[in-house]
């Protein structure tokens, strides 16, 4: 193992519920009533993949950019201050780096959000590569973001990398990019869903992975 590619929302940050609320509020602002639980089940996708679940194609063409921009501004101003890291994130990253592995971040969020996330997590000095929706034409479950991360991890083989994410969309996207996935339960998706999507190991949260690091695929390959 030579590199680890992390999703952020729901994997490193306790932010899934907050993203769901921001989408519900944004949809409501544009006259669309949605169920928060159903919206939450779509978090992990980018807006390009989430909106078609709730809006017809013609409306997305007409108002999609405006809705997504409203949602992004709302999240930044109202919900981002409430975002907190899950336990053990920085110690896990330090352990990974001590083991000689590189660390990449691959988020469906936009560039400025991902920069702010690194500040909240306190990990910017431990990260080698960062990719966001700005680096991809399509968001998860398409493989574009992970493929961008692989490209930035120059000289490393896909067999020497592993993805860590909390949603089936992470596992699906990683599989399409030729990568394996470790699942995290802290984002709220059931273990059965993560297994069905192809996760080859599952942990509760970053602290759980850190506690079992020496027996994990990060150490054993």
């Amino acid at each position: 193992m030579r590199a680890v590619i992390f999703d952020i929302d729901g994997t490193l940050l306790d932010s899934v519920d907050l993203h769901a609320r921001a989408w519900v509020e944004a949809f409501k602002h544009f006259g669309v009533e949605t169920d928060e639980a159903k919206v939450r089940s779509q978090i992990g996708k980018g807006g390009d993949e989430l909106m078609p679940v709730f809006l017809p194609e013609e409306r997305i063409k007409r108002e999609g950019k405006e809705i997504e921009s409203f949602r992004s501004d709302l999240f930044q101003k109202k919900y981002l201050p409430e975002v907190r890291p899950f336990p053990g994130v920085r110690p896990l990253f330090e352990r990974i780096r001590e083991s000689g592995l590189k660390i990449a971040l691959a988020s469906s969020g936009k560039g400025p959000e991902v920069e702010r996330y690194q500040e909240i997590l306190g990990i910017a000095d431990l990260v080698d590569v960062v990719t966001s929706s700005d680096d991809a034409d399509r968001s998860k479950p398409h493989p574009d973001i992970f493929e961008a991360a692989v490209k930035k991890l120059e000289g490393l083989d896909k067999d020497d990398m592993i993805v860590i994410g909390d949603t089936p969309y992470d596992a699906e996207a990683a599989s399409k990019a030729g990568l394996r996935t470790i699942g995290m339960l802290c984002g709220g998706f059931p273990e059965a869903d993560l297994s069905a999507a192809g996760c080859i190991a599952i942990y509760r949260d970053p602290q759980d992975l850190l506690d079992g690091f020496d027996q994990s695929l990060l150490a054993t390959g």
Side-chain angles (χ1 to χ4, degrees), residues 91-123:
L92 173 61
F93 275 41
E94 290 173 338
R95 183 72 178 83
I96 291 170
R97 291 299 297 269
E98 286 168 8
S99 299
L101 281 66
K102 291 190 173 183
I103 296 174
L105 301 179
S107 171
S108 293
K110 297 188 181 300
E113 286 182 16
V114 176
E115 287 183 19
R116 179 69 182 117
Y117 288 163
Q118 291 183 79
E119 295 174 12
I120 294 170
L121 290 161
I123 57 167

Side-chain angles (χ1 to χ4, degrees), residues 41-62:
S41 73
Q42 301 299 314
I43 301 299
K45 299 178 178 180
D48 60 320
E49 293 293 318
L50 184 148
M51 284 191 290
V53 177
F54 303 97
L55 299 173
E57 183 178 351
E58 60 181 36
R59 185 160 189 190
I60 294 173
K61 288 180 179 178
R62 189 174 68 249

